[in-house]
Every structure is written in C-alpha cells, then in structure tokens.
Amino acid sequence: MYNIWPMSQMETLGRHIRQKIKMRGRDYFAQNAVEILYADPDFVSAKVTGSRIYDVDLELDGKDLIFSCDCPYFEDHQEACKHVWATLLELEKSGYFKNWGSNFPTRLVPTDSDGDLDADYLEDFYLEDEDAEDNDFVSGEI
C-alpha cells in the first residue's frame, strides 16, 4: 500500500527522531530559545538557550543534513537532540527551508565527536531506508 499524502519537510527530517526529543525541542522553540547566528544555503549555526547555551551546527551535504550539538545528550548518544529539533523548527518558521528548494535534505546525519560522519549511524540508517523501500512506504513517528 502506498502513502498518498507526502510527508512534510519537518516530518521527513523528524522521522528518525524520538517523539520525546521533538516535544522538548518544540518547548524550546516556543520559548524563543533559538537564535540563528549564521545561515547560508549550505550551513547554519545557532545557539539554543536551555540550562546553558548550546551550539548547534547544520550542514547540507547532498540530500544529507549533517548536524551537531555540544550538549551532553548529543555527545553521549550521537543522535538528534532537542536543541537540533528546536533549531529546525526555527528555520522552518523563518522560511529558511525555501533556500534548499529541490535540494531539501531527506536524512539527518550526526557528526561524531571529531566532526566526521558517524559511519555506524549511516550504515544503520541506510539499512532502515532499504527496509522501508521494501515495504513500499516510510512511516514516521509523528
């Protein structure tokens, strides 16, 4: 069976992010805790104020959006945190996504602690995508 409604851009980016993380990120976004420091078509730098100020970087690389945050959650888990999600919500609100146009990323990919792509994450991610393609649809956790 095919999903006849395409996913929104945020659904596409958020399909591999835990619901709890998205809810907490939405809270930061609603509190205006995100400040975009720099944004061009390929790179975004932001700071998110929570229990302290955290730095979030996003870099467009083909269809991948490579992300990092200096919070303990990201450093411990190497997955999207509430600060990354809050930054994405702020970008969506500001209309930044139109800069990506047809190059809109389809995957969120973390950097490792050295700033390199996390090879294990990529392998797991691509396997999940292959499984989803075999089922003819991708279901998101929304």
Side-chain angles (χ1 to χ4, degrees):
M1 172 178 251
Y2 291 94
N3 182 352
I4 59 173
W5 291 281
M7 282 192 261
S8 74
Q9 293 170 320
M10 288 300 287
E11 288 172 332
T12 297
L13 289 176
R15 68 183 179 215
H16 295 290
I17 299 175
R18 299 171 194 270
Q19 188 65 28
K20 189 174 186 178
I21 296 296
K22 290 192 275 190
M23 289 181 347
R24 289 179 174 172
R26 190 173 311 280
D27 290 343
Y28 277 93
F29 167 73
Q31 296 166 11
N32 295 311
V34 180
E35 180 181 349
I36 304 299
L37 302 174
Y38 177 83
D40 71 20
D42 297 321
F43 183 80
V44 173
S45 180
K47 70 177 182 178
V48 181
T49 304
S51 55
R52 65 176 270 260
I53 296 173
Y54 295 104
D55 296 319
V56 173
D57 289 325
L58 306 170
E59 183 174 359
L60 187 62
D61 183 19
K63 288 294 188 177
D64 295 335
L65 184 61
I66 302 165
F67 66 92
S68 67
C69 182
D70 63 352
C71 74
Y73 182 86
F74 175 78
E75 291 176 1
D76 290 346
H77 297 92
Q78 292 294 300
E79 61 186 46
C81 62
K82 58 190 173 186
H83 310 105
V84 168
W85 189 248
T87 300
L88 290 168
L89 290 169
E90 182 64 31
L91 291 172
E92 178 187 45
K93 178 184 130 194
S94 70
Y96 179 84
F97 287 170
K98 70 178 183 243
N99 293 326
W100 290 333
S102 63
N103 293 323
F104 194 85
T106 57
R107 293 183 287 258
L108 280 173
V109 179
T111 57
D112 65 19
S113 58
D114 297 327
D116 298 324
L117 289 176
D118 183 337
D120 291 334
Y121 178 88
L122 284 174
E123 182 179 331
D124 290 346
F125 188 90
Y126 289 124
L127 289 174
E128 287 176 15
D129 275 0
E130 287 174 10
D131 291 342
E133 288 173 11
D134 290 344
N135 292 326
D136 292 328
F137 68 95
V138 176
S139 61
E141 179 185 89
I142 304 298

